[in-house]
PDB file of all heavy atoms in Angstrom:
ATOM      1  N   PHE A  72      -9.312  -2.319  12.588  1.00 98.00           N
ATOM      2  CA  PHE A  72      -8.514  -3.473  12.200  1.00 98.00           C
ATOM      3  C   PHE A  72      -8.980  -4.740  12.925  1.00 98.00           C
ATOM      4  O   PHE A  72      -9.010  -5.757  12.324  1.00 98.00           O
ATOM      5  CB  PHE A  72      -7.032  -3.198  12.586  1.00 98.00           C
ATOM      6  CG  PHE A  72      -6.273  -2.563  11.544  1.00 98.00           C
ATOM      7  CD1 PHE A  72      -5.824  -1.228  11.672  1.00 98.00           C
ATOM      8  CD2 PHE A  72      -5.964  -3.196  10.329  1.00 98.00           C
ATOM      9  CE1 PHE A  72      -5.126  -0.591  10.651  1.00 98.00           C
ATOM     10  CE2 PHE A  72      -5.243  -2.611   9.285  1.00 98.00           C
ATOM     11  CZ  PHE A  72      -4.822  -1.281   9.426  1.00 98.00           C
ATOM     12  N   MET A  73      -9.281  -4.602  14.235  1.00 98.00           N
ATOM     13  CA  MET A  73      -9.753  -5.813  14.957  1.00 98.00           C
ATOM     14  C   MET A  73     -11.003  -6.398  14.301  1.00 98.00           C
ATOM     15  O   MET A  73     -11.123  -7.598  14.132  1.00 98.00           O
ATOM     16  CB  MET A  73      -9.968  -5.449  16.397  1.00 98.00           C
ATOM     17  CG  MET A  73      -8.712  -5.142  17.218  1.00 98.00           C
ATOM     18  SD  MET A  73      -8.937  -4.526  18.811  1.00 98.00           S
ATOM     19  CE  MET A  73      -9.767  -5.865  19.667  1.00 98.00           C
ATOM     20  N   ALA A  74     -11.948  -5.516  14.017  1.00 98.00           N
ATOM     21  CA  ALA A  74     -13.199  -5.950  13.396  1.00 98.00           C
ATOM     22  C   ALA A  74     -12.962  -6.612  12.063  1.00 98.00           C
ATOM     23  O   ALA A  74     -13.514  -7.683  11.720  1.00 98.00           O
ATOM     24  CB  ALA A  74     -14.185  -4.830  13.305  1.00 98.00           C
ATOM     25  N   ALA A  75     -12.107  -6.050  11.243  1.00 98.00           N
ATOM     26  CA  ALA A  75     -11.847  -6.576   9.932  1.00 98.00           C
ATOM     27  C   ALA A  75     -11.177  -7.929   9.908  1.00 98.00           C
ATOM     28  O   ALA A  75     -11.542  -8.882   9.209  1.00 98.00           O
ATOM     29  CB  ALA A  75     -10.995  -5.591   9.098  1.00 98.00           C
ATOM     30  N   LEU A  76     -10.189  -8.001  10.832  1.00 98.00           N
ATOM     31  CA  LEU A  76      -9.489  -9.343  10.959  1.00 98.00           C
ATOM     32  C   LEU A  76     -10.369 -10.402  11.552  1.00 98.00           C
ATOM     33  O   LEU A  76     -10.318 -11.580  11.087  1.00 98.00           O
ATOM     34  CB  LEU A  76      -8.257  -9.139  11.836  1.00 98.00           C
ATOM     35  CG  LEU A  76      -7.116  -8.310  11.227  1.00 98.00           C
ATOM     36  CD1 LEU A  76      -6.089  -7.857  12.223  1.00 98.00           C
ATOM     37  CD2 LEU A  76      -6.443  -9.141  10.111  1.00 98.00           C
ATOM     38  N   GLN A  77     -11.207 -10.088  12.513  1.00 98.00           N
ATOM     39  CA  GLN A  77     -12.109 -11.057  13.095  1.00 98.00           C
ATOM     40  C   GLN A  77     -13.127 -11.505  12.019  1.00 98.00           C
ATOM     41  O   GLN A  77     -13.433 -12.713  12.007  1.00 98.00           O
ATOM     42  CB  GLN A  77     -12.867 -10.476  14.318  1.00 98.00           C
ATOM     43  CG  GLN A  77     -11.981 -10.254  15.504  1.00 98.00           C
ATOM     44  CD  GLN A  77     -12.599  -9.431  16.591  1.00 98.00           C
ATOM     45  OE1 GLN A  77     -13.546  -8.641  16.284  1.00 98.00           O
ATOM     46  NE2 GLN A  77     -12.133  -9.512  17.834  1.00 98.00           N
ATOM     47  N   ALA A  78     -13.625 -10.566  11.256  1.00 98.00           N
ATOM     48  CA  ALA A  78     -14.576 -10.889  10.218  1.00 98.00           C
ATOM     49  C   ALA A  78     -14.149 -11.881   9.187  1.00 98.00           C
ATOM     50  O   ALA A  78     -14.863 -12.721   8.651  1.00 98.00           O
ATOM     51  CB  ALA A  78     -15.141  -9.585   9.576  1.00 98.00           C
ATOM     52  N   VAL A  79     -12.838 -11.814   8.859  1.00 98.00           N
ATOM     53  CA  VAL A  79     -12.262 -12.641   7.822  1.00 98.00           C
ATOM     54  C   VAL A  79     -11.703 -13.974   8.355  1.00 98.00           C
ATOM     55  O   VAL A  79     -11.852 -15.025   7.766  1.00 98.00           O
ATOM     56  CB  VAL A  79     -11.217 -11.899   7.020  1.00 98.00           C
ATOM     57  CG1 VAL A  79     -10.538 -12.800   5.992  1.00 98.00           C
ATOM     58  CG2 VAL A  79     -11.830 -10.718   6.310  1.00 98.00           C
ATOM     59  N   PHE A  80     -11.050 -13.915   9.539  1.00 98.00           N
ATOM     60  CA  PHE A  80     -10.287 -15.052   9.963  1.00 98.00           C
ATOM     61  C   PHE A  80     -10.852 -15.813  11.203  1.00 98.00           C
ATOM     62  O   PHE A  80     -10.451 -16.924  11.429  1.00 98.00           O
ATOM     63  CB  PHE A  80      -8.875 -14.566  10.321  1.00 98.00           C
ATOM     64  CG  PHE A  80      -8.136 -14.111   9.135  1.00 98.00           C
ATOM     65  CD1 PHE A  80      -7.863 -12.743   8.914  1.00 98.00           C
ATOM     66  CD2 PHE A  80      -7.526 -14.959   8.181  1.00 98.00           C
ATOM     67  CE1 PHE A  80      -7.174 -12.261   7.827  1.00 98.00           C
ATOM     68  CE2 PHE A  80      -6.886 -14.549   7.115  1.00 98.00           C
ATOM     69  CZ  PHE A  80      -6.666 -13.195   6.927  1.00 98.00           C
ATOM     70  N   MET A  81     -11.801 -15.293  11.843  1.00 98.00           N
ATOM     71  CA  MET A  81     -12.363 -15.893  13.050  1.00 98.00           C
ATOM     72  C   MET A  81     -13.662 -16.610  12.671  1.00 98.00           C
ATOM     73  O   MET A  81     -14.656 -15.933  12.303  1.00 98.00           O
ATOM     74  CB  MET A  81     -12.576 -14.894  14.188  1.00 98.00           C
ATOM     75  CG  MET A  81     -12.665 -15.413  15.588  1.00 98.00           C
ATOM     76  SD  MET A  81     -12.630 -14.144  16.742  1.00 98.00           S
ATOM     77  CE  MET A  81     -12.777 -15.125  18.314  1.00 98.00           C
ATOM     78  N   PRO A  82     -13.709 -17.964  12.590  1.00 97.00           N
ATOM     79  CA  PRO A  82     -14.873 -18.698  12.148  1.00 97.00           C
ATOM     80  C   PRO A  82     -16.251 -18.268  12.757  1.00 97.00           C
ATOM     81  O   PRO A  82     -17.210 -18.137  12.017  1.00 97.00           O
ATOM     82  CB  PRO A  82     -14.545 -20.158  12.511  1.00 97.00           C
ATOM     83  CG  PRO A  82     -13.093 -20.198  12.502  1.00 97.00           C
ATOM     84  CD  PRO A  82     -12.587 -18.855  13.032  1.00 97.00           C
ATOM     85  N   SER A  83     -16.274 -17.995  14.042  1.00 97.00           N
ATOM     86  CA  SER A  83     -17.519 -17.625  14.726  1.00 97.00           C
ATOM     87  C   SER A  83     -17.940 -16.146  14.431  1.00 97.00           C
ATOM     88  O   SER A  83     -19.016 -15.768  14.829  1.00 97.00           O
ATOM     89  CB  SER A  83     -17.428 -17.842  16.228  1.00 97.00           C
ATOM     90  OG  SER A  83     -16.449 -17.064  16.803  1.00 97.00           O
ATOM     91  N   ARG A  84     -17.063 -15.444  13.766  1.00 95.00           N
ATOM     92  CA  ARG A  84     -17.373 -13.984  13.553  1.00 95.00           C
ATOM     93  C   ARG A  84     -17.510 -13.698  12.051  1.00 95.00           C
ATOM     94  O   ARG A  84     -17.547 -12.503  11.664  1.00 95.00           O
ATOM     95  CB  ARG A  84     -16.245 -13.112  14.119  1.00 95.00           C
ATOM     96  CG  ARG A  84     -15.946 -13.321  15.570  1.00 95.00           C
ATOM     97  CD  ARG A  84     -16.965 -12.713  16.490  1.00 95.00           C
ATOM     98  NE  ARG A  84     -16.618 -12.956  17.886  1.00 95.00           N
ATOM     99  CZ  ARG A  84     -15.813 -12.119  18.613  1.00 95.00           C
ATOM    100  NH1 ARG A  84     -15.289 -11.058  18.066  1.00 95.00           N
ATOM    101  NH2 ARG A  84     -15.622 -12.408  19.854  1.00 95.00           N
ATOM    102  N   ARG A  85     -17.610 -14.694  11.245  1.00 93.00           N
ATOM    103  CA  ARG A  85     -17.680 -14.481   9.710  1.00 93.00           C
ATOM    104  C   ARG A  85     -18.870 -13.578   9.385  1.00 93.00           C
ATOM    105  O   ARG A  85     -18.851 -12.893   8.298  1.00 93.00           O
ATOM    106  CB  ARG A  85     -17.694 -15.827   9.053  1.00 93.00           C
ATOM    107  CG  ARG A  85     -16.375 -16.633   9.155  1.00 93.00           C
ATOM    108  CD  ARG A  85     -15.319 -16.098   8.323  1.00 93.00           C
ATOM    109  NE  ARG A  85     -14.075 -16.724   8.554  1.00 93.00           N
ATOM    110  CZ  ARG A  85     -13.693 -17.862   8.059  1.00 93.00           C
ATOM    111  NH1 ARG A  85     -14.470 -18.584   7.279  1.00 93.00           N
ATOM    112  NH2 ARG A  85     -12.472 -18.366   8.317  1.00 93.00           N
ATOM    113  N   ASP A  86     -19.967 -13.610  10.137  1.00 93.00           N
ATOM    114  CA  ASP A  86     -21.110 -12.860   9.818  1.00 93.00           C
ATOM    115  C   ASP A  86     -20.814 -11.351  10.001  1.00 93.00           C
ATOM    116  O   ASP A  86     -21.682 -10.487   9.534  1.00 93.00           O
ATOM    117  CB  ASP A  86     -22.291 -13.265  10.594  1.00 93.00           C
ATOM    118  CG  ASP A  86     -22.084 -13.142  12.125  1.00 93.00           C
ATOM    119  OD1 ASP A  86     -20.863 -13.105  12.548  1.00 93.00           O
ATOM    120  OD2 ASP A  86     -23.064 -13.055  12.903  1.00 93.00           O
ATOM    121  N   MET A  87     -19.711 -10.992  10.626  1.00 96.00           N
ATOM    122  CA  MET A  87     -19.407  -9.607  10.898  1.00 96.00           C
ATOM    123  C   MET A  87     -19.068  -8.864   9.583  1.00 96.00           C
ATOM    124  O   MET A  87     -19.256  -7.636   9.414  1.00 96.00           O
ATOM    125  CB  MET A  87     -18.203  -9.430  11.848  1.00 96.00           C
ATOM    126  CG  MET A  87     -18.539  -9.793  13.283  1.00 96.00           C
ATOM    127  SD  MET A  87     -17.031  -9.761  14.288  1.00 96.00           S
ATOM    128  CE  MET A  87     -16.450  -8.071  13.940  1.00 96.00           C
ATOM    129  N   ALA A  88     -18.569  -9.583   8.535  1.00 96.00           N
ATOM    130  CA  ALA A  88     -18.128  -8.964   7.292  1.00 96.00           C
ATOM    131  C   ALA A  88     -19.217  -8.215   6.617  1.00 96.00           C
ATOM    132  O   ALA A  88     -19.110  -7.065   6.272  1.00 96.00           O
ATOM    133  CB  ALA A  88     -17.525  -9.995   6.389  1.00 96.00           C
TER     134      ALA A  88
END
Side-chain angles (χ1 to χ4, degrees):
F72 271 111
M73 291 171 66
L76 288 166
Q77 289 168 339
V79 175
F80 294 104
M81 201 168 179
S83 62
R84 305 283 181 87
R85 293 285 171 82
D86 59 337
M87 288 175 56

